[in-house]
Amino acid sequence: MCIRDRVRVGAVPNLRDVARASKSSHSVTLRPGRLFRSSHCFQQNDIDELGIQTQIDLRSHRDLEHLDQTVGSPAAPVRHTIEMVGCWTAIQILRGLPGCGVCRLICCMCARESRAAYVLESITSQPNGLGALYIIFLTHCGEAFVEAARLLCDGASYPVLIQCIHGKDRIGLLVALVLLACGVMEKDVCDDYQSSGPLLANADAKGELDLYIRPWCRSSAVLASPRKALSDALGWLHERHGHASATIQQAARAYLVHHGLTTYELQLVRSHLIDAAGPPSPAQRQAQVEL
């Protein structure tokens, strides 16, 4: 089996080629072997086997408290770390906790337990809490999403790997924005997102997460990827950045442009990921020079 057609490589949970998401006959055709997504746990040979040239790491220093640091930290030739959840976003997330949850959080801080893990589990255990969390991300992390998307403009950067703790939440939104901006159908995007939960649960059942993700980050609620969560986030996206006759693909492009990605950069990303997109036109190149 070709390496790009595998859902997982070795013991790397939730690894897949993003091109697999484009399945519907009405979707664009994505170029395989260009963009990969995964959880954080890689061995160096897995990166080398895929030929990864660039890593985009969405973990923050706070995420590292979840990890068993006895394993190494393999890296591609070029590695970028993007802080997706800044202080203001964290405050907005905390505001979503019930009063008792805030009290429990303070106790966790005093006891030096995993604060971020508790917050995530508290939110995901609420009805549609994950969807609400994604809307907070979209509301307050637009510049970070654009920073990551901008790294996909350089053809020399590919193949690119995007990774975080579980490879489904921050990555799920980023990949959804990129795929929609490329013209992939919403059903395909949601199907791809929804596949993360079963892949992570299967890996957890086999003990493949034990070395990398501590127990409090492996509850069923935290590992889940319910379709409604992403659908609700995309509904918010369309409402805020689309219009009555706009498609969700147009809304995703509008969102990225609103937060700083130029139309020239957007076309560059599309040209690297879509088989028939083509490079930016001379007019688009000139517009970028004038900017």
Side-chain angles (χ1 to χ4, degrees):
M1 180 183 295
C2 179
I3 188 77
R4 69 193 184 199
D5 293 329
R6 298 185 191 177
V7 175
R8 296 177 56 253
V9 176
V12 183
N14 206 20
L15 167 66
R16 56 190 181 274
D17 189 333
V18 168
R20 293 168 57 91
S22 183
K23 297 181 295 185
S24 297
S25 58
H26 297 293
S27 278
V28 297
T29 301
L30 298 179
R31 298 172 64 182
R34 303 288 283 172
L35 183 61
F36 295 86
R37 56 180 293 177
S38 82
S39 64
H40 72 282
C41 39
F42 267 94
Q43 301 296 323
Q44 187 65 48
N45 65 314
D46 291 318
I47 286 182
D48 296 341
E49 186 180 6
L50 287 169
I52 299 297
Q53 294 299 305
T54 304
Q55 273 177 288
I56 302 176
D57 194 338
L58 304 185
R59 294 176 296 177
S60 70
H61 68 278
R62 292 183 299 274
D63 290 325
L64 298 180
E65 67 187 71
H66 302 303
L67 306 181
D68 185 338
Q69 294 301 302
T70 60
V71 297
S73 182
V78 178
R79 180 170 183 162
H80 301 273
T81 301
I82 297 176
E83 178 81 21
M84 291 294 296
V85 183
C87 292
W88 178 248
T89 304
I91 291 172
Q92 302 308 308
I93 293 172
L94 290 177
R95 289 179 61 188
L97 290 177
C100 60
V102 175
C103 293
R104 168 76 184 281
L105 176 62
I106 294 173
C107 293
C108 286
M109 293 172 67
C110 294
R112 299 194 177 188
E113 295 178 16
S114 175
R115 301 178 295 278
Y118 169 70
V119 171
L120 182 58
E121 186 166 9
S122 296
I123 290 176
T124 55
S125 64
Q126 299 178 38
N128 198 34
L130 200 54
L133 177 64
Y134 292 169
I135 290 174
I136 291 175
F137 284 162
L138 288 173
T139 302
H140 300 287
C141 302
E143 292 182 0
F145 284 126
V146 166
E147 182 182 355
R150 188 168 280 134
L151 295 173
L152 303 178
C153 292
D154 185 1
S157 298
Y158 293 89
V160 175
L161 166 71
I162 309 174
Q163 63 176 147
C164 65
I165 295 290
H166 300 98
K168 72 177 183 72
D169 300 312
R170 289 162 288 190
I171 286 180
L173 287 174
L174 174 59
V175 168
L177 288 169
V178 170
L179 290 180
L180 290 170
C182 286
V184 176
M185 300 300 291
E186 181 177 1
K187 177 184 180 301
D188 289 348
V189 172
C190 290
D191 285 347
D192 179 61
Y193 164 79
Q194 192 174 18
S195 67
S196 288
L199 287 173
L200 287 168
N202 182 58
D204 189 36
K206 293 179 178 179
E208 294 174 354
L209 303 184
D210 293 352
L211 184 61
Y212 305 95
I213 305 180
R214 296 190 186 279
W216 50 75
C217 286
R218 302 203 305 266
S219 70
S220 58
V222 172
L223 295 181
S225 57
R227 190 184 193 89
K228 189 177 187 304
L230 184 60
S231 295
D232 286 351
L234 296 183
W236 177 94
L237 181 72
H238 189 272
E239 179 182 344
R240 295 298 181 91
H241 294 275
H243 51 78
S245 59
T247 64
I248 187 61
Q249 290 80 8
Q250 291 170 328
R253 293 170 197 144
Y255 174 88
L256 293 171
V257 170
H258 174 78
H259 287 286
L261 196 70
T262 67
T263 53
Y264 168 80
E265 290 173 323
L266 182 58
Q267 182 59 20
L268 274 177
V269 174
R270 288 166 55 85
S271 70
H272 294 315
L273 294 178
I274 303 175
D275 268 346
S281 67
Q284 288 171 321
R285 292 182 184 276
Q286 182 61 34
Q288 177 66 7
V289 171
E290 293 172 355
L291 288 174

